[in-house]
Amino acid sequence: MQRPEDEDDQSYSDESYTSGSETDSYGDEDDPPSTLEWSGELDGDGNPITKQLVPAEDANVRHGFAEAYSSDEYLKALEASYFMYWTDPRHQSSGIPAPPPTDPASQKIDWRNRDRIRTAAAVLVVCLRIGYDPPDVIKTDPCAKLECWIDPYASAKDKAMERIGKNLQTQFESLAATPKTRYKQFLDPPIEDAKKFCTAARKSAKNERVLFYYNGHGVPKPTASGELWLFNKQYTQYIPVSLAEVIMWLGSPSIMVWDCSAAGNIVTKVQEFGAKRDADLAREAAAAAEAAAQAQANGTEPPPPESKPHIPSVPFRDTIQLGACLGHQTLPMNPELPADLFTACLTSPIEMAIRFFQIRNPLKNDLTLELLLEMPGKLNDRRTPLGELTWIFTAVTDTIAWNTLPRDLFQKLFRHDLVVAALFRGFLLAERIMRYFECTPISVPALPPTHNHPLWDSWDLAVDMCIQQLPGLLAYIKKYRDAMPQEIIPAPQEPGPPSLPPGAPPLPYVHSNFFAEQLRAFEIWLQEGGVERNPHPVQLPVVLQVLLSQAHRLRALILLCKFLDLGPWAVNVALSIGIFAYVLRLLQAPAAELKPVLIYIWARILAVYENCKEDLLKSTYPPTRTVDQAPYTYFVSVLAPSGSVPIPNVSEHRAMCAFILGVCCRDYKPGQAACLRANVFDACLAHVRDVDPLLRQWSALCIAMMWDDFEEAKGLGIRGRVHELFCSILHTDPVPEVRAAVLYALGTLLGTTGSSSPTKKFGKSIVCSGPAAGLSPIEQSDVELGVAMATLKCSTDGSPLVRRELVILLSSLVNEHQGQFIIAAYRAIVERSTRATEAASKPSSESGMTDETLAYIAASLNAAAESDEGPSNPAFQATLFSCMYKTIFDMMADPFPDIADSAGEVMDHILKLLFESPLGPAAKNALRNAPPTASTSRFKPPPAPAVTHIEKPAEPAVNGHPSRTASIATSLKSLAHQLTTSTGLTEATPVPPTSLRINGKVPGAASPTSPVGALHGSASTDSLRYLQSRAGKPVAKPKPGVPTDPAAVDLIIAGLIAEDEERLRRRRAAPSVSGEEPSAQVLPLKSTFFDWAQEYYKGSQMQMTEGDEPGSVAYNQRLWRRARNESIIIKTQPMKIPAGTSRWDEQIGFNTLDTIPTKIAFHQFERHLLAADKKGNINVYDWEQNKRLNRFTNGTSPSVPISSVRFVNEDDVALVMSGSADGHVRLFRDYAEPGEVHLVSSFQGIQEQLPTTTKQADAGLVLEWQQGRGQLLMGGNVKFIRVWDAQREVALQDLPTRANSCLTSLTCDQVAGNILVGGFGDGSVKVYDRRITPRDNMIRSYKGHHHSWIVNVHMQRGGNRELLSGGLGGEVCLWDIRLSEPIRTLVAHQGGMSQLAVHEHAPVFATSSAANIVKVWNMNGVDDEPISKFRNSAGFMTQRTFPMTSMAFHPHHMILGCASEDSHINTFQIENYGSSLLKVQSQLAPLGMGSRMAAYSGPP
């Protein structure tokens, strides 16, 4: 998820994006930014004549805007403007978690090596028989002699053999720092002893691995038939031993090392005999199972268990083997090499690698091979030369293996067992050295060739740098020892490299730059090659080793952060390397500079692998650590608000800590208890008001996870009045993600669950918490109902993210109080049925309720709200649950399909419970008695919501749910306005124009076949059809109802309430909710918000987005769009002058729709023409090529017209905004791509209703979009103009209209955005200033100039910002808001005017008459004659005249679109417009603009 930002953090900077914003006048706000303007003339040399633009303060700009636009306030407002809206991750994903990745690299892996097997015992068999060469080996002279770096001929045979065995065991023990492996040497063993030793090792190792080492330098070569050689007890004979026997002695699992000539024969036969042994065991096991089954069938005694063969966990054929050479090869005899070259590479790789380097070194030096063994230092001390070389060797071999082996094989050989890993590191060296001497080591499993890997060159460089310092180091040690008194020089405990005594100053050793160079290479890969997933960075295992060094640790961690930032695949790679144990240990490090990187790394790990939380809560390092000192306290200390934390961007890192601790609490009771004990609850509570929205969001989510099904935390939160704080934040926080997180937390308080387990569906609500919460049942009920009522206002939130969480929260209440919702549903059905009956008997009453009834309900609600009894009052509770039920019912008509589906699922469950309850017959009876007219919905009746399916892909399906007719208010005293409408205005209102009618009828007029308008519909007429369908009976004709005994109903209601109380009592007594969930549990719904929110830590946070990355496709496309936009403006600006004098009747387009178009709009820069039609569809046309690109449904019922269409983000990738007559606003992306249209967001823009008479009409939802401020203005049949903020997705302001009729048209100043102008149905035009208080913000009211419905009022975005208004009677007025009278008035059409359109930049406007006559006027004309007049005809053969339904100018081009009721859209342009544009392009070429326009004349 993208980090949620406040409204001042989203503007584009010049550094991050070079494209202009709304401050650039090339957009839809103003004229081009150039200070030169073409005069339209050429000089004597044919060059265009340019003139200096008139300064803004001297230009003829209306309304005093010239001074305002040059003010500091205006310039600051432009700097703070936004550029893109509804493009955040919550809009891209609709707040739904992404499906599991299909890319194998991003899928979860088992990196923990749970099936690892350690080496428990080792059998070291050495067959040398010093002094007796085997008969099949002919040695050279001189020959290799050293065995374990001991010359066997330099001392007595027995002494030499003992030293060799001791050295061999020491070398094996130094392979891995694990005391658990028991090594035992057997020197020249007879066959009987070898068998005994092997079987004893298998017995002690049990099911773990046994290491078998065989040195056969003193016996004959292994035979091709699979035999190796040992001795008899008298050492007089070589005794062959079959490898099949050896396999049986050692068992499985095991690892075998063969250091002898022709070792390939052994390796091959071990595999062969191992496979045979596996087959024999499988056959024996099958026979034993068959015998047991036969015995059971015969009723006889089954065979004893010990007779059943033991099948090892690892098959014999998978035995790991390391062989010194192939079957036809003999070991090297070079006297410069040890005789046991293979063993030396495996067990003492550093000494062997140094010797090999010296042998191959072409540069001669004074170092001897014996002197190389005197390398000072210790293997486990990285500060010494020998320790550093060991460290580098480990990094090099791990890196080579990781880059050449398959991942599973690398894990098996280099990560499962330390002994196996050390042996295979030496094997890689052996392959390099022995291949040089024409001998090929082999292994099982086989490894690809690695002897020529380029990283060996880096190893040679490190060795070279080290041995160059060796003489000086040895001289320094000798000098220091010589200077010390002999009596204080400690005697060496064992032979080995020389070293300084304890307390001596460090060696003057210059450390290798190997790790620094590898880190630099890794950094370059991240900068240049980090986009590609394959190949992976070569240096990643080096980074793992660098973490062991304090000198390079911080840099390595920073680079590791950058790598993990690439995505989940990078987390998988890092964990497969083995990074986890290192970063877990580093949580003990007190260094403050490591805190930011470690927090970031752990956030990335836990975002992918939540189960790592168990490691954070274990007291592993050191063993004496208590649970309160477990690694998770590392993050608690950062999150704690007390004290200053030396971390940059501390709020962002605290948000990561809150996320980490939230994951630790999720589905993990020990984590919840530990965090509660560590005061994490109080720390999060201190941050919910932080300025950083990300920290606010994750603080709320962490609290949600802490008290999810955890009574102690819920009790702590309630006593601290956290729920009240959350309810306050819910209505005041400007960031939708934060509001959704708070609502999510309140949901877990009321019984929803944040569990990631699909089997857990709900937790314990606060109302059924036990004694651990420390609250009485009355207090619990108070909190639950209070929180529920405080959240109902979220049903009108502008963000679907928030509204979805509200439905989930209410579903939990339905689950806890089934009886109360059954009662609420029953009463609502009876009320609607009664109101429908009254409406049928009083057709003149729209609302179906009298003023007395309305007053009675309001008085009842006030009395309930002011009652001292509180929630214990049954009447009070009934009112509250009725409000909740009404909210759920209304949200079934939510404009976002997912939310409507969820609300429908909850409502289905309620009605199912109702019809199955004792109140079911009475409810069905009430529905049957409803009159037929009550079931005549203005929408097509939907199917049962249980099977209702709304398509969510490219073409948003029609929302088939009943229309929402009113909103849920936040207090009980306003509930009456949610349930009914009151009597309306007495003043007559003019009839709207034909374009606003449906089927030739006024939308708001009530008639037996035409229900009331969408913005003021009746709840009963909208819902009864749905309720009757859910009752399972056909709609019946009115018939006398069966009288229902009120006492019997009251008795049933009391019984349902008692059942609720009993259910709550049982749940309070239950220790947990586990085991209570039936398999068919429906409610509560389960939220996925936490999963969606944590995707923020899976995505990249350090890299720029693709659109901001120079050179990326998206970046280049954005630059192309900017240049294209500028070129369009440049070449169309000179056309403003001829547009005021030319004819406009040159037709260039003729588009046919399937039905009548109602609204049209042009895109500023794309060749797109939008047309909303009568059936609720939106059509997208290419006006230049005259073809339809796409058609999709708006998602409303065909009877609900689309009253407004707008483009959003036109400077870049535009969205389509639609407003429908039911008050819904929807935004679509990819609108021009068939099958790819997606609903970005939707919300109820207007919920309140203006009470009207049945004769009142309205213009639907009237929208005006301010791109520069990111705000949406709207109005309609209400007494205010509402301002919505696109970034916050909340209503900012309601401007009182002070009008007695509906708003029909709305416009505003698009630059500063403070001045609003509205036209009304009574012919008045009013001007508002948003900066003034609501009492005085209406600064002008023009009446008497228009005598009927205002068709359109529009203020130009460019030009002189002319303001025009046109009435249905044909009057057109030109205004300056500083004046009390119009500047100019003309009568455009004597017989009435149907449409008025104003060009944004040119001084022209167009009008149309009822006879489809179009007139184009010059605003600056001195007479009242049009500059062009023509008929908008569908063709020469058309005889009938159809009225115009919509008309619009292109914002820049001199093009006019006309839509009429004959289902056609015609486009016209000024005379010779195409040739004029080409002429302008050629004339601007000397200025360097012509080529630019030509280059950007087509798509990228």
Side-chain angles (χ1 to χ4, degrees):
M1 122 182 204
Q2 181 183 343
R3 173 190 177 90
E5 299 287 351
D6 286 319
E7 60 275 12
D8 294 333
D9 299 333
Q10 288 287 317
S11 57
Y12 282 85
S13 63
D14 293 336
E15 293 81 12
S16 62
Y17 174 49
T18 59
S19 177
S21 66
E22 288 304 322
T23 63
D24 296 321
S25 53
Y26 71 84
D28 57 357
E29 311 296 355
D30 203 349
D31 295 330
S34 175
T35 59
L36 296 178
E37 184 181 66
W38 181 53
S39 64
E41 302 175 357
L42 300 176
D43 58 16
D45 298 329
N47 298 321
I49 300 176
T50 60
K51 62 180 181 180
Q52 188 73 24
L53 290 177
V54 179
E57 59 269 23
D58 298 330
N60 187 23
V61 178
R62 302 289 187 193
H63 323 298
F65 287 164
E67 294 80 4
Y69 293 166
S70 61
S71 66
D72 293 338
E73 179 184 357
Y74 164 67
L75 296 177
K76 291 179 180 179
L78 290 182
E79 291 175 358
S81 64
Y82 292 97
F83 181 68
M84 300 281 284
Y85 302 95
W86 286 290
T87 56
D88 291 330
R90 66 176 183 270
H91 303 120
Q92 301 296 327
S93 63
S94 302
I96 299 174
T102 57
D103 182 9
S106 298
Q107 295 174 354
K108 291 185 178 182
I109 60 174
D110 184 13
W111 52 269
R112 285 187 178 271
N113 305 325
R114 302 181 190 276
D115 56 347
R116 60 191 306 173
I117 302 174
R118 72 179 183 91
T119 302
V123 178
L124 309 180
V125 177
V126 180
C127 298
L128 291 181
R129 196 59 180 156
I130 300 174
Y132 300 93
D133 293 336
D136 59 346
V137 175
I138 301 177
K139 294 185 178 180
T140 62
D141 188 21
C143 180
K145 296 184 297 183
L146 298 180
E147 297 281 351
C148 296
W149 307 109
I150 302 295
D151 185 351
Y153 303 101
S155 59
K157 298 179 181 180
D158 294 341
K159 189 67 175 179
M161 196 66 182
E162 182 181 350
R163 291 183 60 194
I164 290 171
K166 185 177 180 181
N167 267 19
L168 177 65
Q169 182 167 339
T170 301
Q171 290 175 189
F172 268 98
E173 287 175 346
S174 64
L175 282 177
T178 168
K180 297 182 180 180
T181 303
R182 296 176 296 276
Y183 294 93
K184 196 162 185 180
Q185 51 180 306
F186 303 103
L187 309 177
D188 293 340
I191 184 172
E192 295 83 359
D193 294 345
K195 178 179 179 180
K196 181 175 63 174
F197 299 151
C198 292
T199 55
R202 166 49 57 197
K203 184 176 181 180
S204 64
K206 298 181 181 179
N207 292 327
E208 295 184 304
R209 183 178 286 113
V210 172
L211 167 63
F212 180 78
Y213 167 80
Y214 175 75
N215 182 330
H217 297 172
V219 294
K221 298 178 183 178
T223 65
S225 60
E227 294 173 329
L228 53 82
W229 300 90
L230 295 174
F231 305 99
N232 62 359
K233 287 187 176 182
Q234 293 76 25
Y235 297 100
T236 59
Q237 294 181 8
Y238 298 111
I239 306 298
V241 180
S242 173
L243 289 172
E245 295 183 53
V246 176
I247 290 175
M248 294 185 64
W249 298 345
L250 294 174
S252 181
S254 60
I255 176 173
M256 302 177 179
V257 180
W258 311 106
D259 188 357
C260 59
S261 297
N265 292 336
I266 301 179
V267 173
T268 303
K269 286 301 180 179
V270 166
Q271 284 185 289
E272 179 182 334
F273 293 151
K276 182 179 179 182
R277 178 61 178 162
D278 289 334
D280 293 341
L281 288 176
R283 187 167 52 254
E284 293 174 12
E290 184 179 357
Q294 186 68 26
Q296 183 178 4
N298 299 334
T300 59
E301 187 71 20
E306 55 269 15
S307 64
K308 184 177 180 180
H310 172 70
I311 299 180
S313 58
V314 178
F316 284 93
R317 62 179 176 274
D318 291 340
T319 298
I320 300 175
Q321 298 184 77
L322 298 175
C325 58
L326 298 177
H328 63 279
Q329 292 179 336
T330 303
L331 295 178
M333 298 184 186
N334 190 325
E336 295 181 323
L337 300 176
D340 60 343
L341 174 60
F342 188 62
T343 301
C345 290
L346 296 182
T347 60
S348 53
I350 305 304
E351 293 84 348
M352 192 61 241
I354 295 175
R355 178 177 287 251
F356 177 67
F357 177 82
Q358 181 66 13
I359 292 174
R360 292 200 315 162
N361 190 1
L363 302 177
K364 301 303 180 180
N365 52 41
D366 298 332
L367 297 175
T368 63
L369 296 180
E370 290 73 17
L371 188 63
L372 294 179
L373 296 178
E374 301 296 321
M375 181 68 67
K378 297 181 180 180
L379 291 174
N380 56 359
D381 188 355
R382 292 184 296 273
R383 296 170 297 180
T384 63
L386 185 59
E388 186 179 58
L389 283 178
T390 304
W391 185 26
I392 295 175
F393 178 77
T394 302
V396 168
T397 50
D398 277 10
T399 303
I400 292 175
W402 187 70
N403 285 282
T404 55
L405 303 184
R407 290 292 174 262
D408 55 347
L409 185 58
F410 173 81
Q411 290 288 328
K412 177 182 178 181
L413 301 182
F414 287 84
R415 289 296 180 264
H416 282 196
D417 181 36
L418 294 177
V419 174
V420 174
L423 289 174
F424 269 91
R425 291 190 187 103
F427 180 80
L428 296 182
L429 177 66
E431 186 191 21
R432 184 189 188 212
I433 295 176
M434 299 184 74
R435 276 179 179 268
Y436 182 80
F437 294 102
E438 299 180 357
C439 189
T440 305
I442 58 175
S443 67
V444 176
L447 304 185
T450 60
H451 60 284
N452 56 357
H453 194 280
L455 206 56
W456 285 119
D457 295 334
S458 298
W459 164 250
D460 288 341
L461 178 61
V463 172
D464 190 14
M465 293 178 62
C466 186
I467 64 175
Q468 292 301 322
Q469 304 179 61
L470 182 59
L473 296 176
L474 295 178
Y476 178 83
I477 294 175
K478 183 177 183 304
K479 180 180 179 182
Y480 186 84
R481 283 181 170 271
D482 292 344
M484 293 180 63
Q486 294 296 322
E487 60 271 11
I488 65 173
I489 299 178
Q493 300 296 324
E494 57 185 18
S499 61
L500 291 173
L507 288 171
Y509 172 66
V510 179
H511 290 278
S512 171
N513 60 356
F514 170 81
F515 289 105
E517 291 177 349
Q518 294 299 316
L519 288 180
R520 177 56 183 159
F522 184 44
E523 186 176 9
I524 293 175
W525 183 92
L526 290 172
Q527 293 173 353
E528 306 297 335
V531 177
E532 296 293 334
R533 298 185 181 180
N534 288 306
H536 295 310
V538 175
Q539 301 80 13
L540 196 58
V542 178
V543 177
L544 177 66
Q545 293 297 321
V546 173
L547 295 180
L548 301 174
S549 168
Q550 280 189 327
H552 302 290
R553 181 175 295 161
L554 179 59
R555 183 184 178 192
L557 287 174
I558 293 174
L559 295 178
L560 181 61
C561 288
K562 294 181 178 180
F563 178 70
L564 296 181
D565 189 68
L566 298 178
W569 71 270
V571 176
N572 288 340
V573 171
L575 292 178
S576 67
I577 287 294
I579 211 78
F580 183 78
Y582 289 78
V583 295
L584 184 61
R585 285 179 179 269
L586 285 176
L587 293 181
Q588 303 173 75
E593 65 272 10
L594 298 182
K595 288 183 181 293
V597 288
L598 286 176
I599 291 171
Y600 188 88
I601 289 171
W602 273 99
R604 308 295 294 192
I605 292 175
L606 288 176
V608 181
Y609 294 95
E610 286 191 18
N611 57 356
C612 293
K613 61 191 173 188
E614 300 176 9
D615 299 270
L616 292 179
L617 291 157
K618 288 179 181 177
S619 54
T620 307
Y621 306 109
T624 57
R625 174 175 290 180
T626 65
V627 68
D628 285 335
Q629 295 174 321
Y632 81 99
T633 57
Y634 189 87
F635 310 104
V636 176
S637 62
V638 177
L639 183 63
S642 59
S644 60
V645 181
I647 295 178
N649 302 323
V650 63
S651 293
E652 185 172 357
H653 288 87
R654 279 175 169 165
M656 295 182 199
C657 291
F659 162 68
I660 292 170
L661 295 171
V663 172
C664 289
C665 294
R666 192 181 193 192
D667 280 336
Y668 200 52
K669 279 292 191 293
Q672 291 176 313
C675 289
L676 190 64
R677 189 165 55 249
N679 297 322
V680 175
F681 197 99
D682 296 334
C684 291
L685 194 60
H687 295 309
V688 293
R689 292 288 194 183
D690 194 88
V691 295
D692 189 340
L694 188 65
L695 179 54
R696 298 200 303 269
Q697 172 189 336
W698 280 109
S699 295
L701 290 176
C702 185
I703 291 177
M705 292 296 101
M706 286 186 64
W707 68 21
D708 179 19
D709 200 18
F710 190 46
E711 295 180 1
E712 289 83 351
K714 287 184 178 180
L716 177 64
I718 296 304
R719 289 190 295 272
R721 311 183 78 84
V722 177
H723 60 292
E724 296 181 4
L725 174 62
F726 278 1
C727 291
S728 173
I729 295 175
L730 194 60
H731 305 311
T732 58
D733 199 283
V735 180
E737 288 91 344
V738 178
R739 299 198 301 272
V742 168
L743 201 52
Y744 179 88
L746 292 175
T748 57
L749 178 67
L750 299 190
T752 63
T753 180
S755 172
S756 59
S757 172
T759 59
K760 185 174 181 179
K761 298 181 180 179
F762 65 95
K764 267 195 174 184
S765 171
I766 185 63
V767 76
C768 57
S769 297
L775 301 173
S776 66
I778 295 179
E779 291 174 325
Q780 295 173 1
S781 180
D782 284 349
V783 171
E784 182 192 46
L785 296 180
V787 168
M789 292 304 297
T791 60
L792 295 186
K793 186 179 179 181
C794 295
S795 64
T796 62
D797 196 281
S799 174
L801 208 63
V802 179
R803 301 198 304 274
R804 181 184 290 115
E805 295 305 312
L806 175 61
V807 175
I808 295 170
L809 181 146
L810 293 176
S811 70
S812 177
L813 291 166
V814 174
N815 182 58
E816 299 288 356
H817 303 277
Q818 298 179 9
Q820 290 283 9
F821 278 93
I822 290 173
I823 297 168
Y826 169 74
R827 287 173 173 166
I829 288 175
V830 172
E831 178 190 358
R832 287 187 174 95
S833 178
T834 303
R835 288 169 55 189
T837 304
E838 293 178 358
S841 61
K842 299 178 182 179
S844 60
S845 173
E846 176 189 337
S847 65
M849 294 189 69
T850 62
D851 292 340
E852 292 79 5
T853 306
L854 185 63
Y856 173 76
I857 290 180
S860 300
L861 295 173
N862 289 334
E866 297 171 1
S867 172
D868 294 335
E869 299 183 33
S872 60
N873 183 358
F876 187 89
Q877 290 189 357
T879 303
L880 300 186
F881 285 105
S882 294
C883 291
M884 300 176 206
Y885 173 84
K886 181 63 168 59
T887 301
I888 297 172
F889 195 93
D890 284 347
M891 294 190 75
M892 290 200 312
D894 192 276
F896 207 82
D898 284 344
I899 300 174
D901 284 348
S902 299
E905 186 177 349
V906 178
M907 184 56 64
D908 279 350
H909 185 71
I910 295 174
L911 295 181
K912 180 176 180 293
L913 293 175
L914 170 63
F915 295 138
E916 292 176 354
S917 72
L919 287 178
K924 294 180 180 180
N925 185 59
L927 289 174
R928 294 190 190 100
N929 291 336
T933 55
S935 300
T936 307
S937 172
R938 64 174 172 272
F939 291 166
K940 184 177 179 180
V947 296
T948 299
H949 177 68
I950 296 181
E951 295 291 339
K952 303 175 191 133
E955 295 191 6
V958 173
N959 187 349
H961 293 296
S963 170
R964 185 202 302 223
T965 58
S967 68
I968 299 299
T970 58
S971 67
L972 293 175
K973 296 182 180 181
S974 64
L975 183 61
H977 297 291
Q978 305 165 26
L979 301 176
T980 65
T981 56
S982 62
T983 56
L985 303 174
T986 58
E987 182 178 349
T989 304
V991 178
T994 306
S995 63
L996 299 180
R997 303 185 182 188
I998 301 176
N999 294 329
K1001 297 174 182 171
V1002 179
S1007 67
T1009 58
S1010 176
V1012 294
L1015 282 179
H1016 41 77
S1018 168
S1020 60
T1021 57
D1022 288 340
S1023 60
L1024 273 177
R1025 183 57 177 260
Y1026 166 75
L1027 295 173
Q1028 288 168 331
S1029 68
R1030 296 300 299 140
K1033 300 291 183 180
V1035 177
K1037 295 182 178 180
K1039 62 181 180 179
V1042 178
T1044 303
D1045 184 8
V1049 172
D1050 292 342
L1051 187 61
I1052 295 174
I1053 290 175
L1056 291 173
I1057 296 175
E1059 289 179 6
D1060 279 354
E1061 293 296 332
E1062 177 62 22
R1063 186 187 311 106
L1064 293 177
R1065 186 192 64 78
R1066 290 197 305 269
R1067 295 199 63 194
R1068 290 189 186 104
S1072 68
V1073 297
S1074 59
E1076 296 182 14
E1077 305 174 22
S1079 58
Q1081 178 78 31
V1082 176
L1083 299 183
L1085 303 177
K1086 196 168 182 179
S1087 174
T1088 57
F1089 179 76
F1090 190 92
D1091 300 296
W1092 175 81
Q1094 76 174 1
E1095 289 182 356
Y1096 173 69
Y1097 292 110
K1098 295 180 182 179
S1100 176
Q1101 301 171 40
M1102 295 184 178
Q1103 294 180 330
M1104 291 187 292
T1105 60
E1106 186 180 2
D1108 296 328
E1109 183 71 39
S1112 66
V1113 174
Y1115 183 86
N1116 292 338
Q1117 289 176 343
R1118 184 169 287 177
L1119 290 182
W1120 179 89
R1121 282 190 290 267
R1122 173 177 180 173
R1124 180 219 38 203
N1125 300 349
E1126 187 176 353
S1127 70
I1128 290 176
I1129 296 173
I1130 291 174
K1131 69 182 181 182
T1132 56
Q1133 286 300 312
M1135 296 293 100
K1136 295 193 296 185
I1137 297 176
T1141 57
S1142 303
R1143 297 178 57 181
W1144 281 75
D1145 55 356
E1146 184 176 323
Q1147 186 169 353
I1148 60 171
F1150 181 83
N1151 298 293
T1152 303
L1153 279 74
D1154 299 329
T1155 185
I1156 299 175
T1158 57
K1159 294 291 180 181
I1160 62 173
F1162 285 93
H1163 192 290
Q1164 285 196 75
F1165 306 112
E1166 302 285 352
R1167 300 190 301 262
H1168 294 165
L1169 170 63
L1170 284 186
D1173 62 33
K1174 188 177 179 181
K1175 293 184 178 180
N1177 300 317
I1178 297 177
N1179 302 265
V1180 185
Y1181 289 90
D1182 184 326
W1183 56 262
E1184 185 172 318
Q1185 298 183 7
N1186 289 314
K1187 67 176 183 180
R1188 183 161 66 184
L1189 302 177
N1190 193 17
R1191 180 189 182 198
F1192 59 95
T1193 178
N1194 185 52
T1196 56
S1197 169
S1199 61
V1200 180
I1202 300 174
S1203 53
S1204 299
V1205 287
R1206 295 286 188 274
F1207 284 103
V1208 180
N1209 303 335
E1210 289 180 271
D1211 286 342
D1212 200 69
V1213 180
L1215 306 176
V1216 167
M1217 175 190 293
S1218 68
S1220 52
D1222 54 3
H1224 292 170
V1225 179
R1226 293 175 173 84
L1227 292 108
F1228 303 93
R1229 71 170 183 267
D1230 302 326
Y1231 59 88
E1233 303 295 330
E1236 298 295 332
V1237 182
H1238 294 277
L1239 181 64
V1240 174
S1241 183
S1242 59
F1243 58 94
Q1244 184 86 358
I1246 299 282
Q1247 305 87 24
E1248 295 79 1
Q1249 304 172 27
L1250 175 67
T1252 62
T1253 65
T1254 57
K1255 297 180 181 180
Q1256 174 102 15
D1258 64 74
L1261 184 65
V1262 181
L1263 301 179
E1264 178 70 357
W1265 167 244
Q1266 290 183 333
Q1267 182 72 36
R1269 298 183 66 164
Q1271 293 176 355
L1272 177 63
L1273 315 177
M1274 62 181 64
N1277 199 36
V1278 290
K1279 285 184 174 294
F1280 55 82
I1281 297 173
R1282 177 160 291 169
V1283 182
W1284 281 85
D1285 185 86
Q1287 192 65 28
R1288 302 181 183 185
E1289 298 192 56
V1290 295
L1292 293 181
Q1293 187 180 14
D1294 283 348
L1295 303 175
T1297 60
R1298 302 176 186 272
N1300 292 326
S1301 60
C1302 65
L1303 180 74
T1304 63
S1305 182
L1306 182 62
T1307 188
C1308 67
D1309 166 29
Q1310 284 287 345
V1311 180
N1314 295 315
I1315 302 300
L1316 280 65
V1317 183
F1320 295 87
D1322 59 359
S1324 62
V1325 177
K1326 300 179 184 295
V1327 184
Y1328 306 91
D1329 192 332
R1330 292 178 51 189
R1331 297 166 293 184
I1332 305 176
T1333 59
R1335 181 178 179 180
D1336 305 316
N1337 57 12
M1338 188 180 72
I1339 58 177
R1340 289 290 181 189
S1341 179
Y1342 301 109
K1343 294 184 178 180
H1345 303 285
H1346 298 288
H1347 305 290
S1348 58
W1349 184 284
I1350 297 297
V1351 174
N1352 190 15
V1353 57
H1354 188 84
M1355 180 182 293
Q1356 283 185 314
R1357 299 182 180 184
N1360 291 334
R1361 306 295 195 268
E1362 300 285 6
L1363 173 63
L1364 284 88
S1365 63
L1368 196 59
E1371 314 90 354
V1372 177
C1373 296
L1374 182 65
W1375 305 92
D1376 189 314
I1377 62 173
R1378 296 171 293 182
L1379 305 178
S1380 58
E1381 296 293 328
I1383 300 173
R1384 180 184 177 192
T1385 302
L1386 60 88
V1387 178
H1389 302 276
Q1390 294 294 337
M1393 181 172 63
S1394 61
Q1395 296 295 326
L1396 168 67
V1398 182
H1399 199 281
E1400 297 291 359
H1401 300 277
V1404 294
F1405 64 94
T1407 61
S1408 67
S1409 66
N1412 216 7
I1413 299 298
V1414 179
K1415 296 181 180 181
V1416 182
W1417 308 78
N1418 190 327
M1419 299 179 189
N1420 303 324
V1422 295
D1423 53 16
D1424 293 342
E1425 293 298 325
I1427 58 176
S1428 184
K1429 179 180 178 181
F1430 56 92
R1431 180 182 297 276
N1432 178 38
S1433 174
F1436 293 106
M1437 303 301 295
T1438 304
Q1439 300 296 326
R1440 183 180 173 186
T1441 300
F1442 294 91
M1444 194 91 70
T1445 58
S1446 183
M1447 184 165 59
F1449 279 102
H1450 191 283
H1452 295 291
H1453 286 287
M1454 305 307 148
I1455 294 175
L1456 175 65
C1458 302
S1460 56
E1461 285 192 359
D1462 59 358
S1463 302
H1464 289 93
I1465 301 175
N1466 298 329
T1467 50
F1468 302 90
Q1469 65 181 14
I1470 63 173
E1471 191 176 13
N1472 300 322
Y1473 183 59
S1475 58
S1476 300
L1477 285 179
L1478 294 176
K1479 181 179 179 181
V1480 170
Q1481 181 172 328
S1482 62
Q1483 292 172 341
L1484 291 178
L1487 295 179
M1489 299 181 183
S1491 59
R1492 291 177 61 187
M1493 289 187 287
Y1496 297 107
S1497 59

